[in-house]
């Protein structure tokens, strides 16, 4: 069954506890976007917010690093409460070693790619990580339009996972909603990340239900 990760970037930061409770009740995973203003042209939030969410979370924390030199910070994010931790392929000096370090701490390691990176670049790492994060918008901002080429990109990476027998899940992030959830699942996505389609709508619980197909 497809799991729904709620992106806290779109949460109400003045009422974060309320949105954490919402995810505890209705979604499967907390998705936390870390942006440094260098790898991406935006700055989000850091350790105190991750730690605050972790203190009240009853579901796993999925921390998505959009930062340069991720190797400097993975241990700190693990101490802050990450259960899943992804970094961008082109931000890491040695992606296999970094995934190995994350896994050695008992945390699921993920490798992310932006829409302009050929999915084949992920293939050498499918056996050394727990999930790949296929971006369906360019990392950096919530609320962007879903890029349609994502379906075929997910299909390609899923075929390679099945062909090689790698135990690697496929996560998709950006512009995901009830409108494309079924097609993303058929393409091969295991985890759907959604921010504005969850927290930016009148009935967030119904929005999550509409993605559970
Ligand atoms: C974008 C982030 C996403 C973002 C998704 O760089 O990685 O997780 O919060 O937001 P929506 O669902 O609004 O596209
Ligand atoms: Zn993200």
């Amino acid at each position: 069954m497809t799991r729904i990760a709620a992106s806290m970037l779109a949460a109400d930061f003045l009422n974060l506890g309320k949105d954490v409770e919402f995810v505890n009740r209705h979604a499967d995973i907390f998705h936390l976007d870390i942006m440094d203003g260098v790898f991406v042209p935006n700055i989000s939030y850091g350790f105190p917010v991750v730690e605050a969410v972790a203190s009240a979370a009853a579901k796993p924390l999925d921390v998505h690093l959009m930062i340069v030199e991720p190797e400097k910070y993975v241990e700190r994010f693990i101490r802050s409460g990450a259960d899943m931790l992804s970094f961008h392929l082109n931000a890491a000096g040695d992606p296999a070693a970094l995934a190995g370090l994350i896994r050695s701490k008992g945390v699921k390691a993920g490798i992310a790619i932006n829409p302009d990176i050929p999915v084949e670049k992920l293939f050498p790492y499918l056996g050394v990580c727990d999930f790949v994060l296929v971006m369906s918008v360019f990392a950096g901002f919530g609320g962007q339009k879903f890029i349609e080429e994502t379906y075929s990109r997910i299909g390609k990476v899923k075929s390679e996972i099945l062909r090689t027998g790698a135990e690697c899940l496929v996560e998709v992030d950006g512009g995901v909603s009830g409108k494309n959830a079924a097609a993303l699942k058929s393409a091969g996505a295991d985890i759907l990340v959604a921010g504005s389609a969850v927290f930016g709508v009148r009935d967030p619980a119904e929005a999550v239900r509409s993605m559970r197909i």
Side-chain angles (χ1 to χ4, degrees):
M1 169 128 125
T2 317
R3 284 189 288 164
I4 311 300
S7 176
M8 305 313 284
L9 194 61
D12 176 359
F13 286 92
L14 276 179
N15 292 286
L16 193 54
K18 179 175 82 43
D19 285 348
V20 168
E21 270 320 303
F22 170 82
V23 176
N24 283 340
R25 285 188 51 196
H26 296 281
D28 305 309
I29 296 170
F30 290 89
H31 183 85
L32 295 154
D33 289 300
I34 309 299
M35 305 177 183
D36 66 354
V38 180
F39 185 75
V40 289
N42 193 12
I43 295 176
S44 56
Y45 50 77
F47 307 115
V49 171
V50 176
E51 285 160 13
V53 172
S55 73
K59 301 283 167 83
L61 263 62
D62 168 30
V63 175
H64 174 194
L65 300 180
M66 286 161 272
I67 64 173
V68 296
E69 300 190 88
E71 20 316 82
K72 278 192 183 169
Y73 297 100
V74 294
E75 282 164 301
R76 180 77 197 273
F77 278 107
I78 290 169
R79 283 204 302 279
S80 296
D83 301 291
M84 300 167 63
L85 184 55
S86 66
F87 56 86
H88 277 254
L89 178 66
N90 53 324
D94 184 343
L98 187 53
L101 171 67
I102 295 169
R103 289 175 122 183
S104 75
K105 310 277 176 195
V107 170
K108 305 279 184 212
I111 304 185
I113 52 166
N114 261 323
D116 60 348
I117 296 188
V119 277
E120 290 77 10
K121 297 257 190 208
L122 287 173
F123 291 1
Y125 305 101
L126 297 176
V128 301
C129 62
D130 300 291
F131 65 103
V132 288
L133 172 46
V134 178
M135 291 301 302
S136 37
V137 300
F138 281 87
F141 299 91
Q144 301 182 75
K145 191 177 173 306
F146 179 84
I147 297 172
E148 299 288 324
E149 285 73 33
T150 307
Y151 299 118
S152 64
R153 288 166 59 76
I154 290 175
K156 279 187 203 163
V157 73
K158 189 66 164 201
S159 305
E160 183 67 6
I161 288 170
L162 295 173
R163 191 185 71 75
T164 58
E167 284 188 36
C168 180
L169 298 178
V170 179
E171 179 174 49
V172 58
D173 182 8
V176 174
S177 71
K179 292 200 180 81
N180 51 25
L184 286 167
K185 185 184 180 184
S186 336
D190 303 294
I191 304 168
L192 304 180
V193 178
S196 40
V198 172
F199 294 110
V201 301
R202 198 181 39 82
D203 188 345
E206 174 50 33
V208 172
R209 267 194 300 280
S210 74
M211 288 179 226
R212 288 192 190 285
I213 22 67

